[in-house]
Amino acid sequence: MPAARRVLLPSGTMWLLLQSLLLLASCLRSATAFPKGCYPSEEEGLKTFRCSNARLTEIPRDIPNDTNKLYLDSNRIPFLPRDAFRDLPLLLELDLSNNAIAGVETGAFRGLADHLHSLDLSSNRLVSVSKDAFINLKAKVNLSNNPWLCDCRLQELIRTVDLVAGSSGGIVCDTSTQEEHVGKAFLQVIADTDLCNVYKKTTDIAMLVTMFGWFAMVISYLVYYVRQNQEDARRHLEYLKSLPSKQRRSEESSTISTVV
């Protein structure tokens, strides 16, 4: 019996050791699947993936596709490419605040239209974004604290998205097509001015000025052409007058025929 115990005891110890090693390997494999500084968790019953302050320069690829809340805030991401979040069919909240995002490609949020509730793009470097980048998106969007160019394009964008309550005051004109708007809240600007209508009027005036310029050039050329021909004809007649009478009559007949 003691001998049997001596045989079984190492076997049991080896089995426990093997299980521990397998569990450790599984944990290491799961940990190395995510970028450094990123980790999954569960918050209020929702699958959460946090990559805050992870020094990311692009959207990570290995985000679990059952993620409900994704935090990519406080990184160095400069651009959102097409289909950046297409493989996240259960995503409800997306935080991209405090990055270096200066461009959003059309289709960046494709696949999120039906289920995304919240999108935070505050405190980035957005100057101008096409409204098509947010097409069909039903999420509440935060666009505050960006260096916006206040123009018709921004006006169309603001009318397309559903802004987070209280965030509109943070959308301020860093630059503008009209100097007097710089430093003002954008909603205050468009309450008094239709920037798209102003742009259309400016474009129409520019077209009229261009057309008038071309018309003036054509008229000037025609006047010059007629005057030049008249001068040539006058010189030719003076030359004919200086010729002997017989030759002059012949040349005059030729000149008349040519004019006719």
Side-chain angles (χ1 to χ4, degrees):
M1 195 69 179
R5 231 182 251 137
R6 281 196 302 271
V7 172
L8 290 173
L9 185 59
S11 299
T13 303
M14 289 297 292
W15 174 249
L16 289 173
L17 182 59
L18 180 60
Q19 282 186 319
S20 299
L21 287 172
L22 288 173
L23 182 61
L24 180 61
S26 176
C27 291
L28 288 173
R29 188 166 55 250
S30 298
T32 55
F34 305 128
K36 184 179 179 180
C38 299
Y39 61 91
S41 64
E42 189 165 324
E43 300 177 7
E44 301 177 350
L46 296 174
K47 297 289 184 66
T48 302
F49 193 72
R50 286 190 175 273
C51 287
S52 304
N53 290 295
R55 298 184 179 180
L56 299 177
T57 56
E58 62 181 3
I59 306 299
R61 298 180 181 178
D62 299 315
I63 302 172
N65 57 14
D66 61 348
T67 298
N68 303 127
K69 299 170 71 175
L70 177 59
Y71 292 89
L72 299 173
D73 56 299
S74 304
N75 284 289
R76 303 170 184 173
I77 300 169
F79 179 72
L80 299 182
R82 184 188 303 270
D83 295 326
F85 309 99
R86 193 174 184 179
D87 297 326
L88 301 174
L90 303 178
L91 193 63
L92 302 175
E93 296 182 19
L94 176 57
D95 189 347
L96 291 160
S97 62
N98 292 286
N99 273 280
I101 300 169
V104 180
E105 189 173 8
T106 299
F109 304 112
R110 186 159 52 186
L112 304 181
D114 295 329
H115 47 83
L116 190 68
H117 294 167
S118 173
L119 172 61
D120 194 344
L121 283 165
S122 63
S123 301
N124 277 282
R125 298 178 185 174
L126 296 172
V127 175
S128 184
V129 180
S130 170
K131 64 178 181 179
D132 295 335
F134 298 86
I135 195 164
N136 297 324
L137 204 62
K138 300 172 185 175
K140 296 282 186 179
V141 182
N142 189 345
L143 297 173
S144 62
N145 298 319
N146 282 280
W148 290 109
L149 164 63
C150 291
D151 60 358
C152 179
R153 201 178 194 202
L154 181 58
Q155 181 172 312
E156 290 179 338
L157 171 62
I158 297 302
R159 288 176 175 174
T160 299
V161 300
D162 187 5
L163 295 175
V164 172
S167 69
S168 60
I171 303 175
V172 177
C173 302
D174 189 69
T175 55
S176 177
T177 51
Q178 298 185 40
E179 189 65 29
E180 65 269 21
H181 296 155
V182 174
K184 292 184 179 179
F186 185 67
L187 290 191
Q188 178 187 347
V189 169
I190 59 175
D192 302 326
T193 308
D194 186 343
L195 294 179
C196 293
N197 192 41
V198 169
Y199 175 77
K200 185 177 183 300
K201 286 181 178 178
T202 303
T203 304
D204 290 345
I205 291 170
M207 288 181 65
L208 286 172
V209 169
T210 303
M211 291 175 64
F212 179 78
W214 279 106
F215 183 73
M217 287 176 63
V218 171
I219 295 298
S220 298
Y221 176 76
L222 289 174
V223 170
Y224 169 79
Y225 180 79
V226 169
R227 287 181 176 176
Q228 188 66 31
N229 280 317
Q230 286 178 341
E231 183 66 21
D232 290 343
R234 185 183 65 78
R235 289 176 181 173
H236 190 62
L237 288 173
E238 289 178 354
Y239 167 74
L240 291 177
K241 290 177 181 179
S242 67
L243 294 175
S245 58
K246 186 176 180 181
Q247 185 178 358
R248 185 169 63 245
R249 282 196 300 270
S250 176
E251 290 286 346
E252 286 175 348
S253 300
S254 176
T255 299
I256 293 170
S257 299
T258 302
V259 171
V260 173

